[in-house]
Each structure stands twice: as C-alpha cells, then as structure tokens.
Amino acid sequence: MDAIERLSKIFERFPGIGPRQAGRFVQYLLRSSPALRRELADAVRELGGSVKQCSECYRFSTAEGKLCGICANPSRDKSSLAVVASDADLLALERSGTYRGKYFVLGGTISLGSEKMSGLRLQQLLDAIDERDELAEVIIAFPANPEGDATADRVRDEIVRNTTPGKQIKVTSLGRGLSTGSELEYADPETLKNALDSRR
Ligand SMILES: [Zn+2]
C-alpha cells in the first residue's frame, strides 16, 4: 500500500467519512505546504502524550493532574450534573455560557434496535450519582434524535431504579428549543441556553 492509499484508509475509519471524502483529505494534504503536514503530524503525535481522560467527567483534556479544568474548578455548582453523549456536546453546552454545574460524558448513545449500552459509561454514571452527596439534579442533554431519546429514557430509568432510597434526585431533560434531529454540538449558544432554561 503506498502512502496515499495508507492515509486514505486511515481517514476512512473516521466517523462519517467515506472513501471519497477520505481521498479528498489526502489530496488536500498533498497540495498543502510541508509546514501544515508537519503541524498535523505533530498534533496527532501529541494526542498520545499530553491528553488524558478526566477521572471525574471522562472527557479528554490536556490539564495536568487527574481532573480536567471544569472538574477541578471549585466554583462549579456541585448540585447539578449534565449527562452528555460526547466531548463535543459538553463543549457546546459550555460555550452557551449558562450552565455552571458539573458534567458527565456517557461516551455515545445507544443504537436503535440493539438497546445495548455496551461501550457507554452507564455504571460509572450511576456510581458517580451515588457517591455525590450534594447532587440534587441530573440534566440529561443528549442529541434531539431517536437514538438520543432512547438513551435518555434508558438512563432515566436506570437512575430512578438505582438511586439510594431517600436520596432526592431530580432528573430533567433539555427542553425542546432544540429542533428535532439537531446535534447539540452544532446548536447555537442561544438555542442551548433556551433548551437549558426550559428543561423539565
Ligand atoms: Zn472533568
């Protein structure tokens, strides 16, 4: 396999990227300056070295220590926990500038038909909820699509079933200011702010 083919095959493994797009990425890199190619190679190499997964919210971060910048920040509101599917969705909520609580990255949504939660951090989420005494509200913030809705139902059921009796935890979902089918990560800050304000 030559270098062009090899890189193209790597791009094809990326989410949502088919052979044609993969080929276009390679063509773009071939036309780009050696400096840009070097920058890309360095950035990819660095992912292995300086990026870690936060031991509390599970997002990837370059912060030193076990916690990411958000989890290490003592002024974040410990009474609310937003459960998101991905790092990108977490960052979208963060950009909306209204949410001051904590986060938990589930690691994806369930695929319809299978109902399987494999690969998702459901048990870690339940443990986190159980361990945090100050927690009063869990906000489910998944994408507004069938997979997101199915995951939300399942997560809600599991939380209700597993919460220690006597522990009062409110489980809410983002309001439907988000249009159906929209990915959180592409929603504008104002829409996300409204969706947060209208959660129930
Ligand atoms: Zn964190």
Side-chain angles (χ1 to χ4, degrees):
M1 204 186 291
D2 66 22
I4 294 176
E5 226 179 313
R6 186 175 158 216
L7 186 56
S8 189
K9 288 283 172 220
I10 293 173
F11 282 136
E12 269 182 56
R13 286 189 234 151
F14 285 29
I17 300 300
R20 279 184 57 178
Q21 277 165 304
R24 274 164 51 198
F25 287 172
V26 177
Q27 291 302 320
Y28 169 74
L29 285 169
L30 285 171
R31 288 194 308 270
S32 304
S33 65
L36 185 125
R37 288 197 293 270
R38 207 159 35 237
E39 199 186 330
L40 175 71
D42 286 350
V44 172
R45 199 171 307 114
E46 241 175 75
L47 280 181
S50 59
V51 178
K52 293 188 294 281
Q53 207 164 16
C54 174
S55 66
E56 201 173 298
C57 71
Y58 292 93
R59 78 175 171 122
F60 289 101
S61 97
T62 53
E64 287 184 29
K66 286 163 81 175
L67 299 179
C68 72
I70 297 173
C71 293
N73 182 350
S75 68
R76 300 293 298 213
D77 178 7
K78 292 185 186 63
S79 72
S80 63
L81 182 70
V83 185
V84 294
S86 66
D87 286 26
D89 289 352
L90 181 156
L91 294 173
L93 273 180
E94 199 56 17
R95 272 198 305 271
S96 78
T98 28
Y99 183 67
R100 299 295 307 154
K102 301 275 208 164
Y103 291 100
F104 186 95
V105 181
L106 193 66
T109 50
I110 52 178
S111 30
L112 290 183
S114 80
E115 294 291 298
K116 264 197 262 160
M117 297 289 281
S118 59
L120 304 185
R121 291 180 278 268
L122 181 65
Q123 192 54 51
Q124 290 92 323
L125 171 65
L126 296 173
D127 291 345
I129 292 171
D130 205 39
E131 282 161 15
R132 297 181 198 180
D133 293 333
E134 286 157 286
L135 187 62
E137 181 182 6
V138 175
I139 303 163
I140 296 179
F142 293 145
N145 58 33
E147 289 84 3
D149 291 344
T151 315
D153 289 345
R154 184 69 194 281
V155 166
R156 186 185 284 269
D157 287 351
E158 294 284 345
I159 293 173
V160 170
R161 192 140 43 103
N162 289 280
T163 307
T164 314
K167 202 169 174 177
Q168 293 288 324
I169 289 181
K170 195 162 88 175
V171 183
T172 58
S173 295
L174 286 188
R176 285 290 119 116
L178 290 167
S179 55
T180 303
S182 73
E183 298 282 345
L184 250 56
E185 71 172 291
Y186 303 124
D188 62 89
E190 190 60 23
T191 304
L192 282 174
K193 182 183 179 302
N194 291 337
L196 261 171
D197 289 345
S198 62
R199 68 181 186 271
R200 61 205 129 88

